[in-house]
Amino acid sequence: DGLFHQGGATSLAVEPASAARLDAAAPGTWSLVEALRMRVRDDIERRFLSPHGRRLRDAGGLLTRLDGEPRGGSRQLNATHEYWHFHVDKANKAAYDYSALLYLADGAGIDFDGGELEFVDHNAERRLVAPRAGLLVAFTSGLENVHRVRRVTTGHRMVLALWFTCIDGASPHVGAEEDGTSLVEGACSLRDEEGGPSTSSCPPAR
């Protein structure tokens, strides 16, 4: 039914086969998740692709909870899996052109500790995105956005992770942000005056 554990990560595939499980937890959840996916896709198209007249299609999605310790049981695929290493999404699946994370819980000790999203840019400078419920982070999925999730130490980090691919098969356009990263909350972009990611939400990592 699409539910599995890998170390401290528990994921549910966002696909029709998962609809019954989601709606059993709370009626209407599947419809809400689908509406969020379409809204995120439309937002990425508008912010990254609208000048080029290109469209995206869904390439997969996961509802993911990160815990400090691995969960047991028959759904545990790899109890030693460490989710907190740097990686590139497109290396996991070639169809990934754009990635998006929608936070469903607050960090900084409110719902969980740790779990910051960390990027490394071309000159090895590191930047952090502080988890905040309702924050959407969208970025191109290639080598220009090497990233990781820092280890969750307490509580549960909940996100809706989505991936999209260009319908025409062309390479993704990085857009106005040099690193191809956009930080969005609701309908408002968290950007500075020059159009880059907001330094208040994406400070250099210590």
Side-chain angles (χ1 to χ4, degrees), residues 55-136:
R55 302 282 292 176
L56 299 174
R57 68 169 179 264
D58 299 331
L62 294 171
L63 279 166
T64 299
R65 184 184 72 194
L66 297 184
D67 301 310
E69 299 296 331
R71 295 175 63 88
S74 60
R75 297 181 186 273
Q76 179 59 259
L77 302 181
N78 180 5
T80 63
H81 174 74
E82 297 178 344
Y83 57 78
W84 51 85
H85 296 297
F86 284 104
H87 64 279
V88 173
D89 286 355
K90 201 169 185 66
N92 294 331
K93 190 171 182 179
Y96 293 165
D97 289 326
Y98 290 90
S99 306
L101 291 175
L102 178 61
Y103 289 93
L104 306 177
D106 289 305
I110 300 173
D111 296 311
F112 62 93
D113 281 304
E116 299 90 351
L117 182 62
E118 182 175 3
F119 289 91
V120 179
D121 63 18
H122 65 280
N123 62 2
E125 181 180 353
R126 298 188 178 191
R127 295 180 299 159
L128 293 181
V129 178
R132 188 168 67 255
L135 176 68
L136 170 65

Side-chain angles (χ1 to χ4, degrees), residues 11-22:
S11 298
L12 178 66
V14 178
E15 58 188 15
S18 303
R21 174 180 284 274
L22 288 170

